[in-house]
């Protein structure tokens, strides 16, 4: 590993919970339904995060635990069974039903795996019922996707075919572009997990080479490895360098000639660098502080420091998987400080002491920091924006240069110094 300093911190946290990932997962797999087993707070979170769909029936909902359930006066398992059966009678097109646990369902110890098992026996394959936890007690918001993917792995068929498996949700257009690059390199058998339909799960086996698109899939990567797949070690496909190394790692693993890889990637790299230039001008020399929330913080810091010239004050990450993150940490400037975990009060003190130009943080911290005159960027935007790949590097940089430009417009004093 590079000379980055790795520290740990614990205390009060300020992050979104794993339910949030339903917002992008329900779009990715439109034949699946996500039923949160939680309180009115959970229902409120998921509806505000996703936007209430008035004209289209949404593909998520909440089985609300009422006071009687929480007080243990009702049999929550029976209630949930009833709710699921009503839902499936009304929505026969649902192919996969995820029962998503929450803080309240964990506190009153509803055994969702048992409910799912019983429903699978009763429904006899008509619908597959799975469960995972989106509770905010111990997890952060991207871990919801990790839990959902891990729940799908036991259903993946076995295969001995040589293939490249891209793991982690990507915007469809970005995914198509990346697959087309791999096809041009001669890697024809490329599949994605999660797939675009929950029933079209890719097969897996010892000839499957997994290329992670997202850094927060620790449990998923471990389970895929247990199924015999090989995890390709690479940085993540953010920025020109990260995306280039990511594609090269897959190409190496498939024995593709370096000259062919260069001939395909070099034009993309020069175009992307040109598009990046105006953002580099804005970002270069600016101080960046990343608070922990998405687990994308280390790849983002690597991109913003190495390709955009930003000065990194601190990289917070809610959880650090040293194996998956090794290639990223090796690319960081040697004096970087990475803090795993969170003590939000101490971190905010360090933010104020270091007067950064930009703070990447959760929505709950952004407004108070903006009120103190510190520009912010919501970390959740990174999972909703198409930022992966060489072509997207300038769009990714723009997400960070935009708040600085906005700050300049709102602060005429800064304008005169530019
Ligand atoms: S799962 Fe927990 S943190 Fe998330 S909305 Fe429900 S109560 Fe809040």
């Amino acid at each position: 590993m590079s000379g980055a300093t790795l520290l740990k911190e614990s205390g009060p946290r300020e992050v979104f919970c794993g339910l949030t990932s339903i917002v992008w997962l329900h779009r990715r797999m439109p034949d699946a339904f996500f039923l949160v087993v939680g309180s009115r707070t959970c229902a409120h979170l998921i509806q505000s995060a996703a936007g209430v769909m008035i004209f289209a029936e949404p593909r998520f909902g909440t089985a609300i635990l009422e006071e009687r359930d929480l007080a243990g006066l009702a049999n929550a398992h029976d209630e949930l069974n009833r709710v699921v059966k009503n839902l499936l009678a009304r929505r026969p097109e649902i192919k996969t039903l995820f029962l998503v646990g929450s803080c309240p369902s964990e506190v009153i110890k509803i055994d969702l795996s048992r409910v799912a098992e019983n429903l699978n026996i009763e429904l006899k394959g008509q619908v597959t019922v799975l469960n995972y936890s989106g509770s905010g007690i111990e997890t952060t918001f991207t871990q919801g996707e990790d839990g959902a993917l891990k729940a799908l792995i036991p259903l993946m068929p076995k295969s001995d075919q040589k293939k490249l498996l891209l793991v982690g949700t990507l915007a469809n257009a970005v995914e198509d572009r990346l697959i087309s690059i791999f096809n041009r390199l001669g890697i024809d058998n490329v599949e994605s997990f999660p797939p675009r339909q929950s029933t079209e799960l890719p097969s897996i086996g010892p000839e499957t080479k997994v290329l992670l698109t997202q850094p927060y899939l620790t449990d998923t990567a471990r389970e895929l490895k247990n199924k015999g797949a090989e995890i390709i070690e690479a940085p993540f496909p953010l920025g020109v360098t990260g995306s280039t190394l990511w594609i090269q790692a897959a190409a190496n693993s498939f024995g593709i000639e370096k000259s062919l890889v260069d001939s395909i990637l070099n034009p993309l790299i020069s175009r992307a660098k040109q598009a990046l230039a105006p953002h580099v001008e804005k970002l270069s020399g600016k101080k960046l502080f990343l608070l922990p929330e998405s687990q994308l913080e280390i790849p983002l810091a690597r991109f913003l420091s190495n390709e955009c010239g930003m000065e990194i004050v601190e990289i917070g990450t809610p959880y650090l998987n040293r194996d998956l993150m090794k290639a990223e940490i090796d690319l960081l400037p040697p004096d970087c400080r990475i803090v795993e975990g969170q003590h939000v009060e101490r971190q905010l003190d360090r933010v104020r002491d270091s007067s950064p130009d930009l703070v990447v943080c959760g929505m709950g911290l952004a407004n108070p920091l903006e009120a103190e005159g510190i520009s912010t960027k919501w970390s959740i935007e990174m999972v909703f924006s198409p930022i992966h790949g060489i072509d997207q590097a300038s769009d990714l940089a723009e997400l960070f240069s935009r708040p600085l430009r906005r700050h300049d417009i709102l602060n005429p004093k800064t304008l005169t110094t530019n």
Side-chain angles (χ1 to χ4, degrees):
M1 289 219 179
S2 81
T5 311
L6 308 181
L7 303 166
K8 277 199 177 200
E9 191 165 59
S10 62
R13 301 182 315 141
E14 175 81 39
V15 292
F16 271 132
C17 66
L19 298 187
T20 319
S21 59
I22 294 172
V23 176
W24 65 90
L25 288 170
H26 89 274
R27 289 191 190 136
R28 174 69 185 181
M29 295 180 283
D31 61 342
F33 192 97
F34 294 81
L35 184 66
V36 176
V37 184
S39 63
R40 288 187 194 280
T41 310
C42 308
H44 185 66
L45 170 100
I46 191 68
Q47 290 225 330
S48 6
V52 186
M53 296 183 208
I54 298 167
F55 300 110
E57 185 142 28
R59 293 185 295 274
F60 57 85
T62 308
I64 297 197
L65 295 165
E66 302 287 0
E67 276 174 23
R68 275 167 48 77
D69 302 303
L70 297 171
L73 296 174
N75 185 331
H77 288 177
D78 291 347
E79 289 284 298
L80 185 55
N81 250 304
R82 189 181 53 76
V83 170
V84 168
K85 283 183 188 153
N86 282 346
L87 170 71
L88 294 176
R90 207 161 45 81
R91 302 283 305 276
E93 75 281 7
I94 295 172
K95 298 285 182 257
T96 307
L97 174 66
F98 289 94
L99 301 177
V100 189
S102 65
C103 306
S105 75
E106 280 187 7
V107 168
I108 64 168
K109 300 207 181 313
I110 300 184
D111 186 349
L112 292 184
S113 62
R114 188 152 65 87
V115 176
E117 203 179 302
N118 290 342
L119 282 165
N120 278 323
I121 294 169
E122 275 185 55
L123 297 167
K124 296 189 181 84
Q126 176 203 338
V127 180
T128 304
V129 186
L130 300 168
N131 72 287
Y132 71 92
S133 172
S135 147
I137 295 175
E138 280 301 327
T139 58
T140 184
F141 76 100
T142 45
Q143 281 170 284
E145 173 168 350
D146 197 18
L149 297 195
K150 186 180 163 201
L152 283 166
I153 293 175
L155 307 178
M156 291 167 87
K158 281 194 188 136
S159 157
D160 286 330
Q161 271 184 0
K162 191 166 181 173
K163 71 166 75 167
L164 178 63
L165 186 63
L166 305 182
V167 175
T169 303
L170 289 171
N172 288 356
V174 168
E175 181 193 25
D176 289 342
R177 265 206 295 280
L178 292 171
I179 290 177
S180 114
I181 292 174
F182 288 121
N183 291 162
R184 286 168 64 203
L185 289 170
I187 307 173
D188 293 322
N189 197 356
V190 188
E191 290 185 281
S192 298
F193 179 58
R196 294 186 188 187
Q197 295 292 330
S198 66
T199 44
E200 291 170 7
L201 289 171
S203 53
I204 184 160
E207 293 297 315
T208 306
K209 292 170 187 282
V210 168
L211 195 53
L212 295 174
T213 66
Q214 303 284 11
Y216 43 75
L217 299 172
T218 291
D219 288 352
T220 303
R222 190 186 311 117
E223 291 300 313
L224 291 171
K225 216 165 152 186
N226 290 343
K227 288 268 184 186
E230 177 198 336
I231 313 288
I232 299 173
E233 193 181 304
F236 291 91
L238 297 180
V240 179
T241 310
S243 307
T244 304
L245 292 172
W246 183 79
I247 296 168
Q248 282 172 343
N252 281 344
S253 163
F254 278 78
I256 312 284
E257 287 284 330
K258 184 177 178 307
S259 55
L260 174 63
V261 180
D262 290 346
S263 71
I264 290 172
L265 296 191
N266 286 349
L268 300 179
I269 293 170
S270 27
R271 201 172 59 201
K273 282 187 176 165
Q274 260 180 18
L276 202 52
H279 304 295
V280 174
E281 202 180 307
K282 186 73 217 162
L283 294 168
S284 185
K286 300 288 192 313
K287 286 205 284 185
L288 176 71
F289 200 118
L290 298 106
L291 288 169
E293 199 183 39
S294 65
Q295 291 192 51
L296 282 158
E297 292 85 4
I298 295 174
L300 288 174
R302 182 261 303 153
F303 164 66
L304 291 164
S305 151
N306 296 359
E307 293 181 52
C308 301
M310 292 191 88
E311 187 191 318
I312 308 298
V313 182
E314 179 171 313
I315 309 170
T317 180
Y319 173 68
L320 178 60
N321 181 327
R322 285 175 169 68
D323 291 336
L324 293 188
M325 217 45 93
K326 183 181 178 307
E328 285 288 349
I329 295 177
D330 284 348
L331 292 170
L332 285 173
D335 52 349
C336 265
R337 186 170 71 221
I338 301 175
V339 180
E340 180 185 7
Q342 186 169 41
H343 188 301
V344 69
E345 303 296 343
R346 286 190 203 141
Q347 264 167 342
L348 288 175
D349 286 345
R350 295 200 294 277
V351 168
R352 290 176 186 122
D353 288 347
S354 58
S355 317
D357 296 288
L358 186 65
V359 176
V360 177
C361 60
M363 287 164 84
L365 293 175
N367 277 351
L369 288 172
E370 290 277 347
E372 292 177 32
I374 300 172
S375 294
T376 59
K377 170 55 51 189
W378 296 344
S379 32
I380 200 163
E381 260 190 86
M382 309 306 146
V383 290
F384 293 124
S385 309
I387 55 171
H388 296 77
I390 300 172
D391 283 344
Q392 302 299 123
S394 72
D395 289 356
L396 176 57
E398 195 190 353
L399 289 178
F400 299 91
S401 64
R402 205 185 302 142
L404 295 182
R405 290 186 209 284
R406 178 175 161 271
H407 184 265
D408 289 350
I409 291 165
L410 295 175
N411 183 348
K413 226 166 102 197
T414 320
L415 262 186
T416 57
T417 61
N418 276 350

